[in-house]
Amino acid sequence: MTDFSEWFHNILEEAEIIDSRYPIKGMNVWLPYGFQLRKHTLEILRNILDRDHQETLFPLLIPEDQLEKESIHVKGFEDEVYWITHGGLTKLNKKLALRPTSETAMYPMFSLWIRSHTDLPLRIYQIVNTFRYETKHTRPLIRVREITTFKEAHTVHETMEEAEEQVQEAIRLYKEFFNTIAIPYIITKRPPWDKFPGSDYTIAFDTLLPDGKTLQIATVHNLGQTFSKTFNIKFETPTGEHEYAYQTCYGLSDRIIASIIAVHGDESGLRLPPEVAPYQIIIVPIIFKEETEEIMKACEKIRDKLKDAGFRVKLDDRDIRAGRKYYEWEMKGAPLRIEIGPRDLKRNVVVVARRDTKEKIEIKTEDLEEETDKILHDITRTLREEAWKKMQDNIRTATNLEEAKKIIKEKKGIISFPWCGDEECGKSIEEKIKVDILGITEAEKKSSCINCGKEAEHKAFLAKTY
Ligand code: PR8
């Protein structure tokens, strides 16, 4: 792909994922095919979260005084909030914010709900739209002003240790989710200047896009007691004392769909993992005039058989050339295509074409369900392995700034480097190379910081980011 940005924009339109012509910057329309992709992706997420979270729904609007109560939090969001000032012609006494995220909508309610340690832990989530007046260049699904798929989870605990354990649990849940949709990630602790406003610290998942820039695809925040103190979320301990609770929150957005599209796509279009594909199998009849009816009947039979076996199947019976159907479904990323023609029918076989490798395989009709299932699993595995390899091949180590600069200029991608961990030094690295420090991973002693030369504390990552 020569120009990723152009490819991405075109594919959203051609594969009918998003229509970006809506007349408000940063706000787009989900088209039916894109909506199905989103729906199946969210099903996976809900299945994972529903094990020990409860789904809820809070109002979109937040009163000004409530939003502004947590000062660090509001400072972080003040440039990005959309305000409602009027109801009809009447000026409102109290301005109302369109939620940029829902801490300040939820936590006053938590303070009413939580009385005793027996009310804890509380784990809830919602999948809603949020609004952020982004000033950086907007891009469908990647940086939007109406985030249409904002999944936010919020948890409350008795102790710091339990909140800490919840952060680890959230990381496990997100790993499971991204593994299922075959998206590779690196996990880092964000530097303090890049943490979520109001949090103690932020852990982020980043993936690498084809143009060598990283995209933050999920974040997990340990909120400590900052918000519980602001919003008075207290509980009675077993011994009768009243204590402030510990909180976490974690979220992801439309960017999960952007990453499915960008990470797996190729020159012919989308390559969707079967787990999220609107149609996992497309049946294309190969029709010659005299046998039309017979072929169509055979196709319908196979479609019903596969549907009964639980696959998402579509029989493409439009009156257009088979070649055009191949082209379209390849572009829309359908994982498998089954071609059924008169000659195959006579021999009780069908031809199956994989979207990921473009291989064609002949399968006996009687083995179809079993074989298709195997191939679909293999497609997810192949996409996952390919994507991980591509990301790992683009993580390079630099031991001095010149080397890091050179890599960023010539190859882009992610750079791993030793860092002292000092804020001033980190900001100077960002300034000198014009990149972002993604964050730190494990401790790394015995080497010297890439910038100041002092003893390194951490292995860190940097990259050009979205
Ligand atoms: C929270 N509160 O809000 P976060 N367009 C698309 N995706 C975006 C955008 C945007 N303009 N801005 C952020 N994201 C916490 C956690 C409740 C849940 C995505 O955290 O501000 C990013 O992938 O870090 C980000 O990781 C995620 O939303 C959560 O946003």
Side-chain angles (χ1 to χ4, degrees), residues 77 100-103 132 134 141-145 147 150-154 196 216-219 221 249-255:
F77 280 102
T101 166
S102 304
E103 283 72 13
R132 295 183 181 182
E134 294 279 359
L141 301 178
I142 288 180
R143 173 164 281 103
V144 284
R145 287 182 172 176
I147 309 176
F150 194 70
K151 192 289 296 168
E152 47 178 328
H154 297 261
F196 182 68
Q216 172 181 297
I217 45 174
T219 34
H221 312 292
C249 68
Y250 31 103
L252 39 74
S253 77
D254 307 49
R255 287 181 183 179

PDB file of all heavy atoms in Angstrom, residues 77 100-103 132 134 141-145 147 150-154 196 216-219 221 249-255, ligand 1:
ATOM      1  N   PHE A  77      -9.838  18.193  29.989  1.00  0.00           N
ATOM      2  CA  PHE A  77     -10.853  18.126  28.940  1.00  0.00           C
ATOM      3  C   PHE A  77     -11.427  19.472  28.524  1.00  0.00           C
ATOM      4  O   PHE A  77     -12.258  19.544  27.619  1.00  0.00           O
ATOM      5  CB  PHE A  77     -12.002  17.195  29.370  1.00  0.00           C
ATOM      6  CG  PHE A  77     -11.675  15.739  29.181  1.00  0.00           C
ATOM      7  CD1 PHE A  77     -11.311  14.936  30.246  1.00  0.00           C
ATOM      8  CD2 PHE A  77     -11.693  15.178  27.905  1.00  0.00           C
ATOM      9  CE1 PHE A  77     -10.980  13.592  30.058  1.00  0.00           C
ATOM     10  CE2 PHE A  77     -11.371  13.842  27.708  1.00  0.00           C
ATOM     11  CZ  PHE A  77     -11.017  13.048  28.782  1.00  0.00           C
ATOM     12  N   PRO A 100     -17.692  13.996  27.427  1.00  0.00           N
ATOM     13  CA  PRO A 100     -16.481  13.632  26.685  1.00  0.00           C
ATOM     14  C   PRO A 100     -16.029  12.237  27.123  1.00  0.00           C
ATOM     15  O   PRO A 100     -15.262  11.566  26.445  1.00  0.00           O
ATOM     16  CB  PRO A 100     -15.464  14.696  27.118  1.00  0.00           C
ATOM     17  CG  PRO A 100     -15.938  15.206  28.429  1.00  0.00           C
ATOM     18  CD  PRO A 100     -17.413  14.952  28.528  1.00  0.00           C
ATOM     19  N   THR A 101     -16.512  11.790  28.260  1.00  0.00           N
ATOM     20  CA  THR A 101     -16.309  10.509  28.922  1.00  0.00           C
ATOM     21  C   THR A 101     -17.217  10.630  30.137  1.00  0.00           C
ATOM     22  O   THR A 101     -17.693  11.722  30.425  1.00  0.00           O
ATOM     23  CB  THR A 101     -14.830  10.307  29.304  1.00  0.00           C
ATOM     24  OG1 THR A 101     -14.762   9.201  30.226  1.00  0.00           O
ATOM     25  CG2 THR A 101     -14.205  11.526  29.982  1.00  0.00           C
ATOM     26  N   SER A 102     -17.497   9.540  30.864  1.00  0.00           N
ATOM     27  CA  SER A 102     -18.609   9.644  31.824  1.00  0.00           C
ATOM     28  C   SER A 102     -18.271   9.603  33.305  1.00  0.00           C
ATOM     29  O   SER A 102     -19.160   9.384  34.130  1.00  0.00           O
ATOM     30  CB  SER A 102     -19.640   8.559  31.512  1.00  0.00           C
ATOM     31  OG  SER A 102     -20.070   8.681  30.177  1.00  0.00           O
ATOM     32  N   GLU A 103     -17.016   9.816  33.670  1.00  0.00           N
ATOM     33  CA  GLU A 103     -16.678   9.802  35.107  1.00  0.00           C
ATOM     34  C   GLU A 103     -17.613  10.712  35.893  1.00  0.00           C
ATOM     35  O   GLU A 103     -18.188  10.327  36.908  1.00  0.00           O
ATOM     36  CB  GLU A 103     -15.228  10.269  35.334  1.00  0.00           C
ATOM     37  CG  GLU A 103     -14.156   9.257  35.015  1.00  0.00           C
ATOM     38  CD  GLU A 103     -13.988   9.024  33.517  1.00  0.00           C
ATOM     39  OE1 GLU A 103     -14.524   9.815  32.722  1.00  0.00           O
ATOM     40  OE2 GLU A 103     -13.329   8.045  33.143  1.00  0.00           O
ATOM     41  N   ARG A 132     -15.898  14.810  21.694  1.00  0.00           N
ATOM     42  CA  ARG A 132     -14.666  15.531  22.026  1.00  0.00           C
ATOM     43  C   ARG A 132     -14.339  16.461  20.867  1.00  0.00           C
ATOM     44  O   ARG A 132     -14.190  15.996  19.734  1.00  0.00           O
ATOM     45  CB  ARG A 132     -13.507  14.543  22.268  1.00  0.00           C
ATOM     46  CG  ARG A 132     -13.733  13.670  23.493  1.00  0.00           C
ATOM     47  CD  ARG A 132     -12.576  12.754  23.794  1.00  0.00           C
ATOM     48  NE  ARG A 132     -12.883  11.938  24.982  1.00  0.00           N
ATOM     49  CZ  ARG A 132     -12.070  11.060  25.541  1.00  0.00           C
ATOM     50  NH1 ARG A 132     -10.862  10.880  25.041  1.00  0.00           N
ATOM     51  NH2 ARG A 132     -12.435  10.374  26.602  1.00  0.00           N
ATOM     52  N   GLU A 134     -12.034  17.641  19.104  1.00  0.00           N
ATOM     53  CA  GLU A 134     -10.622  17.411  18.796  1.00  0.00           C
ATOM     54  C   GLU A 134     -10.120  18.528  17.895  1.00  0.00           C
ATOM     55  O   GLU A 134     -10.784  18.888  16.915  1.00  0.00           O
ATOM     56  CB  GLU A 134     -10.460  16.073  18.050  1.00  0.00           C
ATOM     57  CG  GLU A 134     -10.794  14.854  18.876  1.00  0.00           C
ATOM     58  CD  GLU A 134      -9.664  14.435  19.798  1.00  0.00           C
ATOM     59  OE1 GLU A 134      -8.604  15.081  19.777  1.00  0.00           O
ATOM     60  OE2 GLU A 134      -9.862  13.453  20.539  1.00  0.00           O
ATOM     61  N   LEU A 141     -13.084   7.100  12.203  1.00  0.00           N
ATOM     62  CA  LEU A 141     -12.774   5.978  13.103  1.00  0.00           C
ATOM     63  C   LEU A 141     -11.493   6.165  13.933  1.00  0.00           C
ATOM     64  O   LEU A 141     -11.322   5.546  14.965  1.00  0.00           O
ATOM     65  CB  LEU A 141     -12.647   4.640  12.352  1.00  0.00           C
ATOM     66  CG  LEU A 141     -13.851   4.160  11.564  1.00  0.00           C
ATOM     67  CD1 LEU A 141     -13.511   2.845  10.844  1.00  0.00           C
ATOM     68  CD2 LEU A 141     -15.051   3.950  12.441  1.00  0.00           C
ATOM     69  N   ILE A 142     -10.595   7.007  13.476  1.00  0.00           N
ATOM     70  CA  ILE A 142      -9.296   7.124  14.153  1.00  0.00           C
ATOM     71  C   ILE A 142      -9.273   8.315  15.111  1.00  0.00           C
ATOM     72  O   ILE A 142      -8.917   8.184  16.275  1.00  0.00           O
ATOM     73  CB  ILE A 142      -8.158   7.216  13.109  1.00  0.00           C
ATOM     74  CG1 ILE A 142      -7.980   5.842  12.451  1.00  0.00           C
ATOM     75  CG2 ILE A 142      -6.857   7.699  13.744  1.00  0.00           C
ATOM     76  CD1 ILE A 142      -6.908   5.763  11.405  1.00  0.00           C
ATOM     77  N   ARG A 143      -9.649   9.476  14.605  1.00  0.00           N
ATOM     78  CA  ARG A 143      -9.811  10.628  15.499  1.00  0.00           C
ATOM     79  C   ARG A 143     -11.090  11.338  15.097  1.00  0.00           C
ATOM     80  O   ARG A 143     -11.132  12.029  14.078  1.00  0.00           O
ATOM     81  CB  ARG A 143      -8.609  11.578  15.462  1.00  0.00           C
ATOM     82  CG  ARG A 143      -8.847  12.848  16.257  1.00  0.00           C
ATOM     83  CD  ARG A 143      -7.621  13.650  16.580  1.00  0.00           C
ATOM     84  NE  ARG A 143      -6.888  13.077  17.693  1.00  0.00           N
ATOM     85  CZ  ARG A 143      -5.773  12.374  17.583  1.00  0.00           C
ATOM     86  NH1 ARG A 143      -5.247  12.168  16.406  1.00  0.00           N
ATOM     87  NH2 ARG A 143      -5.180  11.891  18.641  1.00  0.00           N
ATOM     88  N   VAL A 144     -12.133  11.113  15.898  1.00  0.00           N
ATOM     89  CA  VAL A 144     -13.449  11.667  15.566  1.00  0.00           C
ATOM     90  C   VAL A 144     -13.902  12.617  16.659  1.00  0.00           C
ATOM     91  O   VAL A 144     -13.355  12.607  17.765  1.00  0.00           O
ATOM     92  CB  VAL A 144     -14.485  10.529  15.386  1.00  0.00           C
ATOM     93  CG1 VAL A 144     -14.284   9.834  14.065  1.00  0.00           C
ATOM     94  CG2 VAL A 144     -14.433   9.521  16.521  1.00  0.00           C
ATOM     95  N   ARG A 145     -14.866  13.421  16.345  1.00  0.00           N
ATOM     96  CA  ARG A 145     -15.406  14.325  17.375  1.00  0.00           C
ATOM     97  C   ARG A 145     -16.637  13.704  18.042  1.00  0.00           C
ATOM     98  O   ARG A 145     -16.925  13.990  19.189  1.00  0.00           O
ATOM     99  CB  ARG A 145     -15.728  15.681  16.751  1.00  0.00           C
ATOM    100  CG  ARG A 145     -14.441  16.449  16.439  1.00  0.00           C
ATOM    101  CD  ARG A 145     -14.733  17.807  15.867  1.00  0.00           C
ATOM    102  NE  ARG A 145     -13.514  18.594  15.760  1.00  0.00           N
ATOM    103  CZ  ARG A 145     -13.459  19.790  15.214  1.00  0.00           C
ATOM    104  NH1 ARG A 145     -14.568  20.351  14.730  1.00  0.00           N
ATOM    105  NH2 ARG A 145     -12.323  20.446  15.149  1.00  0.00           N
ATOM    106  N   ILE A 147     -17.397  10.160  19.112  1.00  0.00           N
ATOM    107  CA  ILE A 147     -16.927   8.773  19.211  1.00  0.00           C
ATOM    108  C   ILE A 147     -18.197   7.942  19.349  1.00  0.00           C
ATOM    109  O   ILE A 147     -18.921   8.076  20.323  1.00  0.00           O
ATOM    110  CB  ILE A 147     -15.992   8.581  20.424  1.00  0.00           C
ATOM    111  CG1 ILE A 147     -14.878   9.641  20.437  1.00  0.00           C
ATOM    112  CG2 ILE A 147     -15.407   7.181  20.429  1.00  0.00           C
ATOM    113  CD1 ILE A 147     -13.972   9.584  21.667  1.00  0.00           C
ATOM    114  N   PHE A 150     -17.934   4.217  22.096  1.00  0.00           N
ATOM    115  CA  PHE A 150     -17.092   4.420  23.276  1.00  0.00           C
ATOM    116  C   PHE A 150     -17.502   3.397  24.325  1.00  0.00           C
ATOM    117  O   PHE A 150     -18.565   3.481  24.908  1.00  0.00           O
ATOM    118  CB  PHE A 150     -17.299   5.840  23.798  1.00  0.00           C
ATOM    119  CG  PHE A 150     -16.268   6.295  24.795  1.00  0.00           C
ATOM    120  CD1 PHE A 150     -14.964   6.540  24.399  1.00  0.00           C
ATOM    121  CD2 PHE A 150     -16.614   6.485  26.130  1.00  0.00           C
ATOM    122  CE1 PHE A 150     -14.015   6.978  25.320  1.00  0.00           C
ATOM    123  CE2 PHE A 150     -15.669   6.930  27.051  1.00  0.00           C
ATOM    124  CZ  PHE A 150     -14.365   7.173  26.644  1.00  0.00           C
ATOM    125  N   LYS A 151     -16.638   2.409  24.527  1.00  0.00           N
ATOM    126  CA  LYS A 151     -16.913   1.418  25.574  1.00  0.00           C
ATOM    127  C   LYS A 151     -16.157   1.872  26.792  1.00  0.00           C
ATOM    128  O   LYS A 151     -14.937   1.963  26.770  1.00  0.00           O
ATOM    129  CB  LYS A 151     -16.468   0.032  25.112  1.00  0.00           C
ATOM    130  CG  LYS A 151     -16.952  -1.100  25.990  1.00  0.00           C
ATOM    131  CD  LYS A 151     -16.278  -1.174  27.361  1.00  0.00           C
ATOM    132  CE  LYS A 151     -14.815  -1.464  27.252  1.00  0.00           C
ATOM    133  NZ  LYS A 151     -14.109  -1.254  28.562  1.00  0.00           N
ATOM    134  N   GLU A 152     -16.877   2.210  27.849  1.00  0.00           N
ATOM    135  CA  GLU A 152     -16.193   2.631  29.071  1.00  0.00           C
ATOM    136  C   GLU A 152     -16.631   1.745  30.223  1.00  0.00           C
ATOM    137  O   GLU A 152     -17.817   1.548  30.455  1.00  0.00           O
ATOM    138  CB  GLU A 152     -16.446   4.113  29.376  1.00  0.00           C
ATOM    139  CG  GLU A 152     -17.881   4.574  29.275  1.00  0.00           C
ATOM    140  CD  GLU A 152     -18.028   6.046  29.649  1.00  0.00           C
ATOM    141  OE1 GLU A 152     -17.279   6.539  30.492  1.00  0.00           O
ATOM    142  OE2 GLU A 152     -18.926   6.705  29.091  1.00  0.00           O
ATOM    143  N   ALA A 153     -15.633   1.189  30.934  1.00  0.00           N
ATOM    144  CA  ALA A 153     -15.916   0.383  32.119  1.00  0.00           C
ATOM    145  C   ALA A 153     -15.442   1.179  33.330  1.00  0.00           C
ATOM    146  O   ALA A 153     -14.432   1.893  33.253  1.00  0.00           O
ATOM    147  CB  ALA A 153     -15.188  -0.942  32.036  1.00  0.00           C
ATOM    148  N   HIS A 154     -16.181   1.077  34.427  1.00  0.00           N
ATOM    149  CA  HIS A 154     -15.828   1.806  35.654  1.00  0.00           C
ATOM    150  C   HIS A 154     -15.982   0.860  36.834  1.00  0.00           C
ATOM    151  O   HIS A 154     -17.016   0.198  36.953  1.00  0.00           O
ATOM    152  CB  HIS A 154     -16.749   3.020  35.836  1.00  0.00           C
ATOM    153  CG  HIS A 154     -16.607   4.036  34.738  1.00  0.00           C
ATOM    154  ND1 HIS A 154     -15.843   5.170  34.870  1.00  0.00           N
ATOM    155  CD2 HIS A 154     -17.114   4.063  33.478  1.00  0.00           C
ATOM    156  CE1 HIS A 154     -15.889   5.870  33.740  1.00  0.00           C
ATOM    157  NE2 HIS A 154     -16.669   5.218  32.875  1.00  0.00           N
ATOM    158  N   PHE A 196      -4.204   9.763  31.827  1.00  0.00           N
ATOM    159  CA  PHE A 196      -5.585  10.252  31.804  1.00  0.00           C
ATOM    160  C   PHE A 196      -5.770  11.299  32.911  1.00  0.00           C
ATOM    161  O   PHE A 196      -5.370  11.068  34.054  1.00  0.00           O
ATOM    162  CB  PHE A 196      -6.524   9.061  32.010  1.00  0.00           C
ATOM    163  CG  PHE A 196      -7.979   9.397  31.964  1.00  0.00           C
ATOM    164  CD1 PHE A 196      -8.573   9.811  30.775  1.00  0.00           C
ATOM    165  CD2 PHE A 196      -8.769   9.270  33.110  1.00  0.00           C
ATOM    166  CE1 PHE A 196      -9.928  10.106  30.737  1.00  0.00           C
ATOM    167  CE2 PHE A 196     -10.124   9.564  33.071  1.00  0.00           C
ATOM    168  CZ  PHE A 196     -10.703   9.981  31.875  1.00  0.00           C
ATOM    169  N   GLN A 216      -3.228   4.366  19.500  1.00  0.00           N
ATOM    170  CA  GLN A 216      -3.648   3.924  20.841  1.00  0.00           C
ATOM    171  C   GLN A 216      -5.033   3.304  20.716  1.00  0.00           C
ATOM    172  O   GLN A 216      -5.980   3.960  20.306  1.00  0.00           O
ATOM    173  CB  GLN A 216      -3.681   5.133  21.772  1.00  0.00           C
ATOM    174  CG  GLN A 216      -4.274   4.848  23.136  1.00  0.00           C
ATOM    175  CD  GLN A 216      -4.299   6.077  24.011  1.00  0.00           C
ATOM    176  OE1 GLN A 216      -3.270   6.644  24.352  1.00  0.00           O
ATOM    177  NE2 GLN A 216      -5.480   6.516  24.380  1.00  0.00           N
ATOM    178  N   ILE A 217      -5.137   2.012  21.069  1.00  0.00           N
ATOM    179  CA  ILE A 217      -6.422   1.339  20.833  1.00  0.00           C
ATOM    180  C   ILE A 217      -7.188   1.026  22.112  1.00  0.00           C
ATOM    181  O   ILE A 217      -8.351   0.628  22.045  1.00  0.00           O
ATOM    182  CB  ILE A 217      -6.248   0.048  19.998  1.00  0.00           C
ATOM    183  CG1 ILE A 217      -5.064  -0.760  20.515  1.00  0.00           C
ATOM    184  CG2 ILE A 217      -6.084   0.397  18.516  1.00  0.00           C
ATOM    185  CD1 ILE A 217      -4.918  -2.111  19.846  1.00  0.00           C
ATOM    186  N   ALA A 218      -6.569   1.185  23.254  1.00  0.00           N
ATOM    187  CA  ALA A 218      -7.299   0.993  24.517  1.00  0.00           C
ATOM    188  C   ALA A 218      -6.466   1.551  25.658  1.00  0.00           C
ATOM    189  O   ALA A 218      -5.239   1.576  25.567  1.00  0.00           O
ATOM    190  CB  ALA A 218      -7.566  -0.488  24.765  1.00  0.00           C
ATOM    191  N   THR A 219      -7.140   1.967  26.712  1.00  0.00           N
ATOM    192  CA  THR A 219      -6.412   2.453  27.889  1.00  0.00           C
ATOM    193  C   THR A 219      -7.082   1.955  29.164  1.00  0.00           C
ATOM    194  O   THR A 219      -8.304   1.789  29.225  1.00  0.00           O
ATOM    195  CB  THR A 219      -6.375   3.997  27.930  1.00  0.00           C
ATOM    196  OG1 THR A 219      -7.607   4.504  27.390  1.00  0.00           O
ATOM    197  CG2 THR A 219      -5.232   4.560  27.131  1.00  0.00           C
ATOM    198  N   HIS A 221      -6.997   2.854  33.309  1.00  0.00           N
ATOM    199  CA  HIS A 221      -6.534   3.889  34.232  1.00  0.00           C
ATOM    200  C   HIS A 221      -6.764   3.480  35.684  1.00  0.00           C
ATOM    201  O   HIS A 221      -7.865   3.035  36.019  1.00  0.00           O
ATOM    202  CB  HIS A 221      -7.288   5.208  33.989  1.00  0.00           C
ATOM    203  CG  HIS A 221      -7.364   5.607  32.541  1.00  0.00           C
ATOM    204  ND1 HIS A 221      -6.254   5.997  31.824  1.00  0.00           N
ATOM    205  CD2 HIS A 221      -8.411   5.647  31.668  1.00  0.00           C
ATOM    206  CE1 HIS A 221      -6.622   6.288  30.578  1.00  0.00           C
ATOM    207  NE2 HIS A 221      -7.925   6.076  30.461  1.00  0.00           N
ATOM    208  N   CYS A 249     -10.901   2.811  35.694  1.00  0.00           N
ATOM    209  CA  CYS A 249     -11.772   2.849  34.523  1.00  0.00           C
ATOM    210  C   CYS A 249     -10.939   2.495  33.310  1.00  0.00           C
ATOM    211  O   CYS A 249      -9.707   2.645  33.323  1.00  0.00           O
ATOM    212  CB  CYS A 249     -12.447   4.216  34.363  1.00  0.00           C
ATOM    213  SG  CYS A 249     -11.336   5.549  33.942  1.00  0.00           S
ATOM    214  N   TYR A 250     -11.588   1.938  32.331  1.00  0.00           N
ATOM    215  CA  TYR A 250     -10.859   1.534  31.118  1.00  0.00           C
ATOM    216  C   TYR A 250     -11.774   1.606  29.916  1.00  0.00           C
ATOM    217  O   TYR A 250     -12.968   1.343  30.004  1.00  0.00           O
ATOM    218  CB  TYR A 250     -10.246   0.131  31.248  1.00  0.00           C
ATOM    219  CG  TYR A 250     -11.000  -0.852  32.119  1.00  0.00           C
ATOM    220  CD1 TYR A 250     -11.783  -1.859  31.552  1.00  0.00           C
ATOM    221  CD2 TYR A 250     -10.909  -0.782  33.511  1.00  0.00           C
ATOM    222  CE1 TYR A 250     -12.457  -2.767  32.357  1.00  0.00           C
ATOM    223  CE2 TYR A 250     -11.589  -1.689  34.319  1.00  0.00           C
ATOM    224  CZ  TYR A 250     -12.358  -2.676  33.730  1.00  0.00           C
ATOM    225  OH  TYR A 250     -13.036  -3.563  34.539  1.00  0.00           O
ATOM    226  N   GLY A 251     -11.180   1.998  28.778  1.00  0.00           N
ATOM    227  CA  GLY A 251     -12.043   2.250  27.634  1.00  0.00           C
ATOM    228  C   GLY A 251     -11.388   1.996  26.308  1.00  0.00           C
ATOM    229  O   GLY A 251     -10.163   1.913  26.188  1.00  0.00           O
ATOM    230  N   LEU A 252     -12.235   1.850  25.319  1.00  0.00           N
ATOM    231  CA  LEU A 252     -11.779   1.794  23.929  1.00  0.00           C
ATOM    232  C   LEU A 252     -12.863   2.358  23.032  1.00  0.00           C
ATOM    233  O   LEU A 252     -13.947   2.704  23.511  1.00  0.00           O
ATOM    234  CB  LEU A 252     -11.344   0.384  23.528  1.00  0.00           C
ATOM    235  CG  LEU A 252     -12.150  -0.814  24.023  1.00  0.00           C
ATOM    236  CD1 LEU A 252     -13.430  -0.901  23.269  1.00  0.00           C
ATOM    237  CD2 LEU A 252     -11.331  -2.079  23.857  1.00  0.00           C
ATOM    238  N   SER A 253     -12.568   2.455  21.738  1.00  0.00           N
ATOM    239  CA  SER A 253     -13.441   3.245  20.872  1.00  0.00           C
ATOM    240  C   SER A 253     -13.527   2.688  19.459  1.00  0.00           C
ATOM    241  O   SER A 253     -13.035   1.598  19.175  1.00  0.00           O
ATOM    242  CB  SER A 253     -12.906   4.677  20.785  1.00  0.00           C
ATOM    243  OG  SER A 253     -11.793   4.694  19.911  1.00  0.00           O
ATOM    244  N   ASP A 254     -14.090   3.493  18.557  1.00  0.00           N
ATOM    245  CA  ASP A 254     -14.153   3.202  17.118  1.00  0.00           C
ATOM    246  C   ASP A 254     -12.796   2.760  16.554  1.00  0.00           C
ATOM    247  O   ASP A 254     -12.726   2.131  15.501  1.00  0.00           O
ATOM    248  CB  ASP A 254     -14.563   4.466  16.343  1.00  0.00           C
ATOM    249  CG  ASP A 254     -15.834   5.100  16.878  1.00  0.00           C
ATOM    250  OD1 ASP A 254     -15.929   5.288  18.101  1.00  0.00           O
ATOM    251  OD2 ASP A 254     -16.720   5.418  16.069  1.00  0.00           O
ATOM    252  N   ARG A 255     -11.734   3.120  17.274  1.00  0.00           N
ATOM    253  CA  ARG A 255     -10.404   2.751  16.789  1.00  0.00           C
ATOM    254  C   ARG A 255     -10.212   1.246  16.699  1.00  0.00           C
ATOM    255  O   ARG A 255      -9.331   0.781  15.985  1.00  0.00           O
ATOM    256  CB  ARG A 255      -9.340   3.330  17.732  1.00  0.00           C
ATOM    257  CG  ARG A 255      -9.211   4.821  17.565  1.00  0.00           C
ATOM    258  CD  ARG A 255      -8.142   5.360  18.469  1.00  0.00           C
ATOM    259  NE  ARG A 255      -8.070   6.803  18.360  1.00  0.00           N
ATOM    260  CZ  ARG A 255      -7.241   7.556  19.046  1.00  0.00           C
ATOM    261  NH1 ARG A 255      -6.419   6.987  19.908  1.00  0.00           N
ATOM    262  NH2 ARG A 255      -7.234   8.856  18.889  1.00  0.00           N
TER     263      ARG A 255
HETATM  264  C1  PR8 B   1     -11.192   7.503  29.085  1.00  0.00           C
HETATM  265  N1  PR8 B   1     -12.811   7.096  30.809  1.00  0.00           N
HETATM  266  O1  PR8 B   1     -11.946   8.326  28.616  1.00  0.00           O
HETATM  267  P1  PR8 B   1      -9.394   7.778  27.226  1.00  0.00           P
HETATM  268  N2  PR8 B   1     -11.535   9.343  18.417  1.00  0.00           N
HETATM  269  C2  PR8 B   1     -11.476   7.998  18.498  1.00  0.00           C
HETATM  270  N3  PR8 B   1     -11.053   7.347  19.594  1.00  0.00           N
HETATM  271  C3  PR8 B   1     -10.664   8.057  20.662  1.00  0.00           C
HETATM  272  C4  PR8 B   1     -10.687   9.468  20.651  1.00  0.00           C
HETATM  273  C5  PR8 B   1     -11.157  10.123  19.464  1.00  0.00           C
HETATM  274  N4  PR8 B   1     -11.247  11.452  19.361  1.00  0.00           N
HETATM  275  N5  PR8 B   1     -10.237   9.906  21.850  1.00  0.00           N
HETATM  276  C6  PR8 B   1      -9.935   8.800  22.588  1.00  0.00           C
HETATM  277  N6  PR8 B   1     -10.198   7.681  21.871  1.00  0.00           N
HETATM  278  C7  PR8 B   1     -11.499   6.733  30.354  1.00  0.00           C
HETATM  279  C8  PR8 B   1     -11.572   5.256  30.144  1.00  0.00           C
HETATM  280  C9  PR8 B   1     -13.744   6.036  30.591  1.00  0.00           C
HETATM  281  C10 PR8 B   1     -12.997   4.953  29.912  1.00  0.00           C
HETATM  282  C11 PR8 B   1     -10.036   6.283  22.318  1.00  0.00           C
HETATM  283  O2  PR8 B   1     -10.017   7.152  28.542  1.00  0.00           O
HETATM  284  O3  PR8 B   1      -9.528   9.236  27.184  1.00  0.00           O
HETATM  285  C12 PR8 B   1      -8.595   5.895  22.608  1.00  0.00           C
HETATM  286  O4  PR8 B   1      -8.339   4.614  22.040  1.00  0.00           O
HETATM  287  O5  PR8 B   1      -8.002   7.209  27.194  1.00  0.00           O
HETATM  288  C13 PR8 B   1      -8.565   5.791  24.114  1.00  0.00           C
HETATM  289  O6  PR8 B   1      -7.645   4.809  24.546  1.00  0.00           O
HETATM  290  C14 PR8 B   1      -9.987   5.404  24.467  1.00  0.00           C
HETATM  291  O7  PR8 B   1     -10.783   6.073  23.510  1.00  0.00           O
HETATM  292  C15 PR8 B   1     -10.415   5.786  25.864  1.00  0.00           C
HETATM  293  O8  PR8 B   1     -10.267   7.170  26.060  1.00  0.00           O
END
